[in-house]
Amino acid sequence: MSGLIDLHSHTNASDGTLTPNQLIGLAQHNGLTALAITDHDTFAGYEAALPTARAAGLDLVCGIELNSRLVLDDAAHTRFAHMLVYFPNNKPSSEFNNWLLEERAERRLRNEKLVKALQERDVDINLQEVEERGRSITGRPHFARILVEKGYVADFSDAFHKYLGEEAPSYVERVSKTTEEVIQLARAGGGIPVVAHPVRLGLPRAAEAALLERLQKAGLAGLEVYHSEHSPALQAYYRDLAAKLKLLPTGGSDFHGTVKPDIDLGSGRANNVHVPIDILDGLRRFVQ
Ligand code: AMP
Ligand code: FE
Ligand code: FE
Ligand code: ZN
């Protein structure tokens, strides 16, 4: 079968702006034959989109994007690594779903702390108004929208710079499982764990390759090769690295709707994402 596929997208069940049904409509419009919905911390968008996707003959793949705490070799250094987990043939186990409940509870606690930290900086904001925008999960992008609307900042990136990002005085860190723990939970739950947009780790190439090798030994199954933030040269580099480390190559646009208007579903930023269709076959073979 030919056609476009996209294995990384968000609905308004997390921090995207399209409803699940609107996303399916756009997938059809853009000529996709397969799409994975990979909302942060929730399957709600995927579940809501299933009937529409079936009716449209679109191959909808179950996925999720999770935060993890990556401990680098010199232990003092940690950073956050996004993990994609795919369930292309099967449902997540009930243990995995129970763990997600805990993740969402932890996220809510973080949001409460973040509201307090902002109020201490004289920002007029409350949890209820943030959660009204968040539906299934509420995240920092919802905070950012309010900060923009109320005129505290000029735009999204300003909101992260001044109030929400790691460098801001009101930053509140999430309590996350380590990357290895997320890999274990994903594998035990029947999923395929993949390191998302590795470019964002910001590691030198040798350190990045060593890290991925370490994670592969801990059960990591794939590496996101094709992504809107990866240049064509970087995609070629990651494709070779994935092959060398025996990791499944995956990819997608990371479409979020109007909050990231330069990224289109299926084709990424200025047409820089073209995910080969056999990538999905590779995922399906892995869990069959
Ligand atoms: P959360 O999961 O609630 O901590 O929010 C994380 C999300 O915020 C990420 O998935 C991004 O979509 C967004 N985000 C994080 N940092 C920035 C930034 N500097 N500028 C714009 N969006 C960001
Ligand atoms: Fe996001
Ligand atoms: Fe991400
Ligand atoms: Zn994403």
Side-chain angles (χ1 to χ4, degrees):
M1 202 167 65
S2 67
L4 276 176
I5 68 170
D6 190 328
L7 299 178
H8 192 160
S9 71
H10 297 265
T11 74
N12 68 354
S14 67
D15 58 352
T17 57
L18 297 194
T19 66
N21 284 341
Q22 285 170 335
L23 186 70
I24 300 303
L26 182 62
Q28 276 191 289
H29 180 263
N30 287 4
L32 299 193
T33 54
L35 171 72
I37 292 181
T38 53
D39 275 314
H40 303 279
D41 296 356
T42 178
F43 293 117
Y46 162 78
E47 282 160 5
L50 255 186
T52 329
R54 283 210 179 110
L58 177 76
D59 185 2
L60 187 66
V61 176
C62 177
I64 197 158
E65 187 169 15
L66 300 163
N67 200 21
S68 75
R69 185 164 45 85
L70 180 61
V71 182
L72 295 173
D73 284 336
D74 48 352
H77 287 99
T78 65
R79 55 187 79 188
F80 291 97
H82 281 179
M83 299 295 295
L84 291 160
V85 185
Y86 292 104
F87 300 86
N89 297 337
N90 51 325
K91 285 203 158 125
S93 71
S94 49
E95 289 80 7
F96 189 84
N97 278 316
N98 286 339
W99 171 57
L100 281 185
L101 292 178
E102 288 172 32
E103 283 293 290
R104 290 198 289 264
E106 183 281 323
R107 173 183 278 282
R108 187 156 201 277
L109 226 61
R110 190 282 310 260
N111 290 343
E112 280 173 9
K113 288 187 203 155
L114 184 51
V115 164
K116 281 209 187 86
L118 292 171
Q119 285 170 345
E120 275 163 22
R121 293 184 63 195
D122 293 327
V123 174
D124 167 30
I125 195 165
N126 63 65
L127 189 60
Q128 194 193 339
E129 65 182 323
V130 193
E131 288 190 334
E132 271 165 16
R133 284 147 212 263
R135 296 167 199 269
S136 306
I137 68 128
T138 299
R140 282 180 290 162
H142 303 108
F143 283 82
R145 270 181 235 174
I146 292 179
L147 292 171
V148 174
E149 278 167 29
K150 292 192 174 177
Y152 289 103
V153 290
D155 57 27
F156 240 66
S157 94
D158 208 21
F160 279 89
H161 186 68
K162 289 201 184 119
Y163 289 104
L164 307 171
E166 283 177 47
E167 312 302 326
S170 38
Y171 175 65
V172 179
E173 193 172 288
R174 281 188 68 181
V175 182
S176 290
K177 293 247 185 290
T178 65
T179 307
E180 275 90 345
E181 285 169 329
V182 171
I183 288 169
Q184 296 299 323
L185 282 158
R187 291 294 291 262
I192 306 176
V194 172
V195 168
H197 39 67
V199 70
R200 282 209 211 148
L201 295 174
L203 292 172
R205 283 195 172 175
E208 182 186 58
L211 165 78
L212 290 169
E213 191 173 358
R214 178 187 112 192
L215 296 178
Q216 197 267 355
K217 288 189 180 126
L220 179 71
L223 180 68
E224 191 169 49
V225 167
Y226 310 92
H227 187 271
S228 300
E229 289 170 35
H230 295 170
S231 67
L234 196 57
Q235 294 181 25
Y237 170 75
Y238 283 135
R239 194 171 52 229
D240 291 347
L241 185 62
K244 195 170 137 217
L245 297 176
K246 299 199 165 31
L247 293 169
L248 294 164
T250 74
S253 62
D254 208 353
F255 178 80
H256 277 73
T258 56
V259 281
K260 296 185 182 179
D262 53 331
I263 294 173
D264 199 11
L265 189 66
S267 57
R269 188 175 276 153
N271 215 12
N272 69 344
V273 172
H274 306 266
V275 184
I277 197 148
D278 60 353
I279 295 280
L280 181 53
D281 302 331
L283 290 178
R284 290 214 155 104
R285 272 195 301 276
F286 187 84
V287 280
Q288 78 189 353

